[in-house]
Amino acid sequence: QFNVTSYAATVVAIMTLETFAGMWINAFIVSVTCMSWVRKKTLKSYDKILLAVGCSRFWFLCISWVYSFVSIIYPNYLHVHPIYPLLGSTQSFVTCSNFWVSACLCVFYCIKIANFRNSFFIYLKGKIDRMVPWLLLGSVLFSLVNGILVYDFTNKLHCNNFTWQGQFWKVKIKIDEHFFTFYFITGFGYATPFTAVISSALLLLFSLWRHKRNMQTSSMKDLSMDAHIKAMKSVLSFFVMYSINFICLVVGMIYSTKEENHMMSMIYVFMYVFPAVHSLILIFSNPSLQMTLLRILPCVKCKVCMK
């Protein structure tokens, strides 16, 4: 019992540090972007996506931490109606939003930087700035529908099959019976943006390879090549972390009906790395955000030392 308690306390402590670090990083992105919006009275397409990414990841970390904390420290509370349907649907909404908005950023990189002579791709390149608000709105609406479906499913699960005697056995059996329906809803919400990220990364890589081959005979410095390489680094780093996060979600769905609390705890730890680390990469790849952060850090350090 002591070992289990110590393990749970360690996992919760690690998750708490990751969560608050990630929330601070994404709150910084949102704050700087909003201040720039107020100052310039306009917001570029990239900044719109950046603002949506920061907001979605901030709330993802906040809600997911509450859900993880309750499931690890007070697992019995999840079987109290309506805590489980509310927490489950809210977490599904913020997780799906995080995935879709992040995928929008990757697709935006691909369309803006990649060079293809296809007429449809040229059309997208010309219309992408107007499409960005609709893509973000569609991501939120799809995530909301996904959250509502999850709430409806888990609410019916509890109302129709919950009894105090043998509650864990009843709930577990019912989830196993509806395995396909439940995981099809959540899996589709995660797999679709993941497919978009893979496609964008491959298209951008192919565009970079073809552009490099065409420029081999030229000794002049090519700005388009530099843009390709910079975007490719961002997309590849994003793709690697996005893939790890997706794998964690799939494994988490598999173990959610089992009593593998240790495995679920480790999955939570890895899931919280993605919103913090990738947002930090976004900060250092954006000159405005990077300069603002470098100006703030010495001030924060001085205030801490004075205290």
Side-chain angles (χ1 to χ4, degrees), residues 81 152-163 170 174 178:
H81 188 78
D152 182 65
F153 176 81
T154 52
N155 189 50
K156 287 179 180 178
L157 178 70
H158 255 259
C159 291
N160 298 334
N161 300 277
F162 181 80
T163 55
K170 287 278 187 183
K174 192 62 179 177
H178 292 80

Side-chain angles (χ1 to χ4, degrees), residues 106 108-117 121 125 200-215 221-237:
C106 193
F108 180 81
Y109 268 129
C110 175
I111 295 176
K112 274 291 187 181
I113 302 299
N115 290 320
F116 294 103
R117 295 179 181 177
F121 192 85
K125 188 181 284 288
S200 299
L202 290 176
L203 285 172
L204 194 56
L205 184 63
F206 177 74
S207 176
L208 174 63
W209 171 78
R210 193 178 67 173
H211 188 73
K212 184 178 180 181
R213 187 185 62 180
N214 294 336
M215 294 299 298
K221 185 176 179 64
D222 185 43
L223 296 178
S224 179
M225 176 68 74
D226 292 339
H228 267 76
I229 294 174
K230 185 178 179 180
M232 199 65 238
K233 287 179 180 178
S234 298
V235 170
L236 283 178
S237 64

Side-chain angles (χ1 to χ4, degrees), residues 10-68:
T10 303
V11 170
V12 170
I14 294 173
M15 288 193 308
T16 301
L17 289 174
E18 290 178 338
T19 299
F20 283 97
M23 288 175 67
W24 186 91
I25 292 169
N26 286 284
F28 170 80
I29 291 176
V30 172
S31 300
V32 174
T33 306
C34 287
M35 286 189 293
S36 176
W37 188 5
V38 171
R39 187 173 62 254
K40 297 179 181 178
K41 297 182 180 180
T42 184
L43 204 61
K44 295 180 180 178
S45 298
Y46 174 77
D47 294 326
K48 291 176 183 176
I49 301 177
L50 204 61
L51 181 61
V53 167
C55 290
S56 65
R57 289 178 178 177
F58 179 89
W59 288 111
F60 164 76
L61 288 167
C62 183
I63 300 298
S64 297
W65 181 85
V66 173
Y67 184 87
S68 305

Side-chain angles (χ1 to χ4, degrees), residues 54-212:
C55 290
S56 65
R57 289 178 178 177
F58 179 89
W59 288 111
F60 164 76
L61 288 167
C62 183
I63 300 298
S64 297
W65 181 85
V66 173
Y67 184 87
S68 305
F69 181 83
V70 173
S71 63
I72 293 174
I73 304 300
Y74 304 107
N76 292 341
Y77 284 13
L78 291 178
H79 299 284
V80 178
H81 188 78
I83 292 178
Y84 181 69
L86 285 174
L87 274 179
S89 61
T90 305
Q91 191 200 27
S92 178
F93 168 72
V94 294
T95 304
C96 199
S97 297
N98 178 36
F99 254 55
W100 276 92
V101 173
S102 300
C104 286
L105 180 63
C106 193
V107 171
F108 180 81
Y109 268 129
C110 175
I111 295 176
K112 274 291 187 181
I113 302 299
N115 290 320
F116 294 103
R117 295 179 181 177
N118 182 274
S119 57
F120 180 69
F121 192 85
I122 295 173
Y123 172 81
L124 288 178
K125 188 181 284 288
K127 297 291 184 180
I128 186 62
D129 290 324
R130 295 181 182 179
M131 293 170 60
V132 164
W134 296 104
L135 287 174
L136 297 177
L137 179 61
S139 300
V140 174
L141 290 178
F142 185 87
S143 303
L144 184 61
V145 170
N146 190 63
I148 292 172
L149 291 174
V150 170
Y151 177 84
D152 182 65
F153 176 81
T154 52
N155 189 50
K156 287 179 180 178
L157 178 70
H158 255 259
C159 291
N160 298 334
N161 300 277
F162 181 80
T163 55
W164 181 257
Q165 294 83 6
Q167 61 185 29
F168 297 104
W169 181 80
K170 287 278 187 183
V171 172
K172 183 178 178 181
I173 291 298
K174 192 62 179 177
I175 289 178
D176 288 341
E177 290 174 358
H178 292 80
F179 180 88
F180 178 79
T181 304
F182 182 77
Y183 289 114
F184 177 80
I185 293 171
T186 53
F188 180 78
Y190 301 149
T192 306
F194 183 63
T195 304
V197 170
I198 294 175
S199 302
S200 299
L202 290 176
L203 285 172
L204 194 56
L205 184 63
F206 177 74
S207 176
L208 174 63
W209 171 78
R210 193 178 67 173
H211 188 73
K212 184 178 180 181

